Amino acid sequence: MNFVNKIIGEELGIFEKKFAESVKSQTPLLDRIMKYIIKRKGKQLRPMFVFLSAKLHGEINESTYRAAALVELLHTATLVHDDVVDESLERRGFFSINAIWKNKIAVLVGDYLLSKGLLLSTSNDDFEHLHILSEAVKQMSEGELLQIEKARKLNLKEDIYFEIIRNKTASLLSSACSVGAYSTSKDATVTEKMKLFGEKVGIAFQIKDDLFDYGKEDIGKPTGNDIKEKKLTLPLIYTLNNISAAKRRELIYIIKNENKIPHKVKYVIDTVVEAGGIAYAAEKMNEYRDSALQILHSFPETEVRNALEELVRYTTDRKY
């Protein structure tokens, strides 16, 4: 992503300082946790999408920096809360907040991050930013709850899967693109177009994550982790709908009752590969990526558009 960094590297550097400043607290424990979070931040894909979407339609300004901070605050809050819900002790190869400070503090930290996002927007009259991101938070909650509900029965159909990831994963990336575009264009049509662009990228991004569960790369989580957690991802859904009834019952029994036994998990993975689940999911991922690029290409070609295309392709070509 060298070209992306060339186009928005300076803005990302300024953003990091502004973001660190925005989460400071007068409470020593909270400030210590915030520093821990900042030191272990991820690739910052969402702020990148905010800045490139903004720059595609105008000059980056203070409103853009606040938009990127709001996206990152909400994203970080949801990750902290997700780790509590999933009882996960690791995040990006490091101990999660709940692993070190326990669940009660982790929930309160997530709440603090959400409140900082609300204050950042309301204090600067960024009400459209808040509207866009509030819709994303609502969708993320709905997607998570729908996934939990469907996981119990293991009867997920492909259309429900796409509804889940559209809400749970794609909504935040979609919001990052739309709020970035709005911060420089103030144009409702452009904002809506970038929202759809981000949604399609977000869906492709999630399918790539699904595929990692069947790969061999060191991706920060064990292969077969989704199966162990009874998560029905696209490769598995395709497989369950395209094998014999007897084989389907066998896989469902393993997922429900034997999902912690390594050789059983491997058997499920091998079956998914043999049934063409991986190839099908990869094809779908590329369809969504290409659909996103089609929207992007409706704008004039510039260095910024090319950088945005590189970032889109990174989401599907990444190794972790």
Side-chain angles (χ1 to χ4, degrees):
M1 292 198 293
N2 291 336
F3 187 54
V4 171
N5 286 318
K6 177 188 167 189
I7 300 299
I8 54 166
E10 186 180 337
E11 287 88 346
L12 284 171
I14 295 169
F15 166 73
E16 284 186 18
K17 291 174 185 171
K18 285 178 178 287
F19 183 75
E21 198 64 35
S22 73
V23 297
K24 276 188 176 177
S25 167
Q26 299 303 311
T27 306
L29 173 61
L30 201 43
D31 202 42
R32 197 157 66 245
I33 295 171
M34 289 302 113
K35 285 174 182 173
Y36 180 84
I37 288 172
I38 288 167
K39 280 182 182 175
R40 287 150 187 82
K41 61 180 168 44
K43 297 180 283 288
Q44 291 193 300
L45 281 178
R46 287 155 195 83
M48 287 180 185
F49 274 106
V50 172
F51 287 119
L52 287 172
S53 297
K55 209 163 190 175
L56 187 66
H57 302 289
E59 289 296 317
I60 285 173
N61 52 53
E62 286 302 315
S63 173
T64 311
Y65 285 109
R66 291 195 299 271
L70 177 58
V71 169
E72 194 69 353
L73 282 164
L74 295 182
H75 176 55
T76 308
T78 58
L79 293 182
V80 172
H81 282 165
D82 280 352
D83 286 341
V84 174
V85 171
D86 297 338
E87 299 178 347
S88 176
L89 300 180
E90 277 193 17
R91 167 68 60 183
R92 297 171 183 142
F94 296 97
F95 285 121
S96 60
I97 302 302
N98 51 299
I100 301 173
W101 287 283
K102 306 304 176 191
N103 286 349
K104 188 182 287 187
I105 288 176
V107 170
L108 292 169
V109 165
D111 292 346
Y112 173 77
L113 290 163
L114 286 169
S115 69
K116 292 296 278 188
L118 293 172
L119 285 168
L120 180 67
S121 298
T122 54
S123 299
N124 293 281
D125 295 338
D126 292 329
F127 298 116
E128 188 58 28
H129 291 187
L130 199 54
H131 175 74
I132 291 169
L133 269 300
S134 294
E135 180 64 28
V137 173
K138 177 182 82 77
Q139 287 181 267
M140 288 161 75
S141 302
E142 289 172 344
E144 188 74 53
L145 286 165
L146 182 59
Q147 184 177 55
I148 290 169
E149 179 192 353
K150 295 298 180 181
R152 289 173 181 162
K153 297 176 183 175
L154 293 182
N155 62 349
L156 200 56
K157 300 298 180 190
E158 197 171 302
D159 60 335
I160 301 295
Y161 163 83
F162 279 110
E163 183 184 346
I164 288 169
I165 67 167
R166 185 174 286 110
N167 286 337
K168 186 183 168 187
T169 305
S171 61
L172 190 58
L173 197 53
S174 173
S175 296
C177 295
S178 57
V179 78
Y182 180 80
S183 74
T184 54
S185 73
K186 300 294 187 287
D187 184 310
T189 304
V190 165
T191 301
E192 193 59 34
K193 207 171 179 181
M194 291 304 292
K195 179 182 179 181
L196 185 58
F197 160 77
E199 180 181 284
K200 291 182 182 296
V201 177
I203 291 172
F205 182 92
Q206 182 56 53
I207 297 173
K208 181 65 173 182
D209 263 9
D210 289 357
L211 288 167
F212 279 142
D213 210 45
Y214 297 87
K216 302 298 182 188
E217 293 101 346
D218 180 11
I219 52 168
K221 68 175 182 178
T223 301
N225 198 51
D226 288 338
I227 295 166
K228 292 167 191 170
E229 293 177 7
K230 301 182 188 177
K231 286 182 183 175
L232 289 183
T233 55
L234 189 56
L236 185 56
I237 291 165
Y238 174 85
T239 301
L240 291 174
N241 292 328
N242 288 276
I243 54 177
S244 68
K247 195 88 163 174
R248 188 175 193 273
R249 282 193 298 272
E250 183 185 14
L251 290 196
I252 288 174
Y253 181 83
I254 292 171
I255 295 163
K256 278 186 172 179
N257 305 293
E258 301 176 329
N259 55 33
K260 299 290 192 289
I261 303 171
H263 74 272
K264 293 286 187 179
V265 172
K266 185 179 183 303
Y267 175 75
V268 175
I269 292 171
D270 291 344
T271 304
V272 169
V273 173
E274 288 164 16
I278 306 300
Y280 177 79
E283 183 184 335
K284 280 289 180 184
M285 176 186 72
N286 291 332
E287 280 178 19
Y288 275 97
R289 178 202 64 199
D290 294 344
S291 185
L293 291 176
Q294 193 174 1
I295 295 170
L296 183 61
H297 290 164
S298 68
F299 299 109
E301 183 179 0
T302 61
E303 279 197 332
V304 176
R305 196 192 83 174
N306 292 340
L308 204 41
E309 177 168 347
E310 182 181 284
L311 191 56
V312 171
R313 293 190 182 281
Y314 170 79
T315 64
T316 54
D317 297 344
R318 63 200 162 101
K319 299 300 180 189
Y320 61 95

